[in-house]
Short mmCIF file of all heavy atoms in Angstrom, two decimals:
data_model
loop_
_atom_site.label_atom_id
_atom_site.label_comp_id
_atom_site.label_asym_id
_atom_site.label_seq_id
_atom_site.Cartn_x
_atom_site.Cartn_y
_atom_site.Cartn_z
N GLU A 42 2.59 34.48 -1.67
CA GLU A 42 1.50 35.39 -1.28
C GLU A 42 0.11 34.87 -1.66
O GLU A 42 -0.62 35.52 -2.42
CB GLU A 42 1.73 36.78 -1.88
CG GLU A 42 3.05 37.38 -1.42
CD GLU A 42 2.98 38.88 -1.21
OE1 GLU A 42 2.11 39.32 -0.43
OE2 GLU A 42 3.80 39.58 -1.81
N ALA A 45 -2.87 37.30 -1.55
CA ALA A 45 -3.10 38.40 -2.49
C ALA A 45 -4.33 38.09 -3.33
O ALA A 45 -4.45 37.00 -3.89
CB ALA A 45 -1.87 38.59 -3.38
N THR A 58 -13.62 48.99 -11.23
CA THR A 58 -12.17 49.01 -11.04
C THR A 58 -11.76 47.77 -10.26
O THR A 58 -12.50 47.30 -9.41
CB THR A 58 -11.74 50.26 -10.23
OG1 THR A 58 -12.47 51.38 -10.67
CG2 THR A 58 -10.26 50.52 -10.39
N ARG A 60 -8.21 45.97 -8.23
CA ARG A 60 -6.84 46.12 -7.74
C ARG A 60 -6.55 44.97 -6.79
O ARG A 60 -7.48 44.28 -6.35
CB ARG A 60 -6.61 47.48 -7.03
CG ARG A 60 -7.09 47.58 -5.63
CD ARG A 60 -8.59 47.56 -5.48
NE ARG A 60 -9.22 48.83 -5.84
CZ ARG A 60 -10.46 48.97 -6.26
NH1 ARG A 60 -11.27 47.90 -6.36
NH2 ARG A 60 -10.99 50.13 -6.55
N THR A 61 -5.25 44.78 -6.46
CA THR A 61 -4.87 43.71 -5.53
C THR A 61 -4.92 44.24 -4.10
O THR A 61 -4.44 45.35 -3.83
CB THR A 61 -3.44 43.24 -5.82
OG1 THR A 61 -3.31 43.01 -7.21
CG2 THR A 61 -3.10 41.97 -5.04
N VAL A 62 -5.48 43.45 -3.19
CA VAL A 62 -5.35 43.73 -1.76
C VAL A 62 -5.01 42.41 -1.06
O VAL A 62 -5.09 41.35 -1.67
CB VAL A 62 -6.63 44.36 -1.13
CG1 VAL A 62 -6.90 45.75 -1.67
CG2 VAL A 62 -7.84 43.46 -1.33
N LEU A 63 -4.64 42.52 0.21
CA LEU A 63 -4.27 41.30 0.95
C LEU A 63 -5.41 40.86 1.87
O LEU A 63 -5.95 41.67 2.63
CB LEU A 63 -3.01 41.55 1.80
CG LEU A 63 -1.73 41.85 1.02
CD1 LEU A 63 -0.55 41.99 2.00
CD2 LEU A 63 -1.43 40.79 -0.02
N PHE A 74 -10.20 42.59 4.61
CA PHE A 74 -8.99 43.26 4.14
C PHE A 74 -9.00 44.68 4.70
O PHE A 74 -10.05 45.17 5.16
CB PHE A 74 -8.93 43.28 2.59
CG PHE A 74 -10.12 43.94 1.94
CD1 PHE A 74 -10.10 45.30 1.64
CD2 PHE A 74 -11.26 43.21 1.64
CE1 PHE A 74 -11.20 45.93 1.06
CE2 PHE A 74 -12.37 43.83 1.06
CZ PHE A 74 -12.34 45.19 0.77
N TYR A 75 -7.84 45.33 4.64
CA TYR A 75 -7.70 46.66 5.25
C TYR A 75 -7.25 47.66 4.20
O TYR A 75 -6.45 47.34 3.31
CB TYR A 75 -6.69 46.61 6.40
CG TYR A 75 -7.23 45.80 7.56
CD1 TYR A 75 -7.04 44.42 7.60
CD2 TYR A 75 -7.99 46.39 8.56
CE1 TYR A 75 -7.57 43.65 8.62
CE2 TYR A 75 -8.53 45.63 9.58
CZ TYR A 75 -8.32 44.27 9.61
OH TYR A 75 -8.85 43.53 10.63
N THR A 76 -7.76 48.88 4.36
CA THR A 76 -7.42 49.90 3.37
C THR A 76 -7.76 51.28 3.89
O THR A 76 -8.18 51.45 5.04
CB THR A 76 -8.15 49.61 2.03
OG1 THR A 76 -7.57 50.42 1.01
CG2 THR A 76 -9.64 49.88 2.13
N ASN A 77 -7.56 52.27 3.00
CA ASN A 77 -7.91 53.66 3.30
C ASN A 77 -9.38 53.86 2.90
O ASN A 77 -9.73 53.66 1.74
CB ASN A 77 -6.97 54.56 2.49
CG ASN A 77 -7.17 56.02 2.82
OD1 ASN A 77 -8.28 56.50 2.89
ND2 ASN A 77 -6.07 56.73 3.02
N SER A 80 -10.02 56.21 -0.01
CA SER A 80 -9.44 55.87 -1.31
C SER A 80 -10.56 55.64 -2.32
O SER A 80 -11.73 55.49 -1.94
CB SER A 80 -8.60 54.60 -1.18
OG SER A 80 -9.45 53.50 -0.86
N PRO A 81 -10.22 55.57 -3.61
CA PRO A 81 -11.27 55.25 -4.59
C PRO A 81 -12.05 53.98 -4.24
O PRO A 81 -13.29 53.96 -4.33
CB PRO A 81 -10.47 55.09 -5.89
CG PRO A 81 -9.31 56.04 -5.70
CD PRO A 81 -8.95 55.93 -4.25
N LYS A 82 -11.37 52.92 -3.79
CA LYS A 82 -12.11 51.70 -3.44
C LYS A 82 -12.99 51.91 -2.23
O LYS A 82 -14.11 51.41 -2.14
CB LYS A 82 -11.14 50.52 -3.26
CG LYS A 82 -10.43 50.49 -1.92
CD LYS A 82 -9.51 49.32 -1.77
CE LYS A 82 -8.11 49.58 -2.24
NZ LYS A 82 -7.44 50.82 -1.78
N GLY A 83 -12.47 52.71 -1.26
CA GLY A 83 -13.24 52.99 -0.05
C GLY A 83 -14.51 53.76 -0.38
O GLY A 83 -15.59 53.45 0.12
N GLN A 139 -4.32 57.98 -0.13
CA GLN A 139 -4.20 56.91 -1.12
C GLN A 139 -4.86 57.25 -2.46
O GLN A 139 -6.03 57.62 -2.51
CB GLN A 139 -4.81 55.62 -0.56
CG GLN A 139 -4.39 54.38 -1.30
CD GLN A 139 -4.85 53.11 -0.63
OE1 GLN A 139 -6.00 52.98 -0.24
NE2 GLN A 139 -3.94 52.16 -0.48
N SER A 140 -4.04 57.12 -3.51
CA SER A 140 -4.42 57.32 -4.92
C SER A 140 -4.54 58.78 -5.32
O SER A 140 -4.92 59.07 -6.46
CB SER A 140 -5.69 56.55 -5.30
OG SER A 140 -5.43 55.16 -5.15
C1 FMN B 302 0.37 42.41 -3.57
C2 FMN B 302 -0.35 43.71 -3.25
C3 FMN B 302 -1.07 43.83 -2.07
C4 FMN B 302 -1.74 45.00 -1.76
N1 FMN B 302 -2.47 45.04 -0.62
C5 FMN B 302 -3.17 46.16 -0.34
C6 FMN B 302 -4.02 46.19 0.81
O1 FMN B 302 -4.18 45.20 1.54
N2 FMN B 302 -4.67 47.33 1.07
C7 FMN B 302 -4.56 48.44 0.28
O2 FMN B 302 -5.18 49.45 0.58
N3 FMN B 302 -3.79 48.43 -0.83
C8 FMN B 302 -3.10 47.31 -1.16
N4 FMN B 302 -2.33 47.28 -2.29
C9 FMN B 302 -2.33 48.47 -3.16
C10 FMN B 302 -3.59 48.45 -4.05
O3 FMN B 302 -3.44 47.48 -5.08
C11 FMN B 302 -3.91 49.81 -4.68
O4 FMN B 302 -2.79 50.31 -5.40
C12 FMN B 302 -4.32 50.86 -3.64
O5 FMN B 302 -5.04 50.28 -2.58
C13 FMN B 302 -5.15 51.96 -4.26
O6 FMN B 302 -6.34 51.40 -4.78
P1 FMN B 302 -7.64 52.29 -5.17
O7 FMN B 302 -7.13 53.52 -5.85
O8 FMN B 302 -8.42 51.41 -6.09
O9 FMN B 302 -8.38 52.59 -3.90
C14 FMN B 302 -1.66 46.11 -2.64
C15 FMN B 302 -0.95 45.99 -3.83
C16 FMN B 302 -0.31 44.80 -4.15
C17 FMN B 302 0.40 44.70 -5.47
#
Side-chain angles (χ1 to χ4, degrees):
E42 301 216 55
T58 319
R60 80 291 284 154
T61 312
V62 293
L63 296 183
F74 58 91
Y75 292 87
T76 193
N77 185 314
S80 66
K82 79 179 90 49
Q139 197 173 47
S140 297

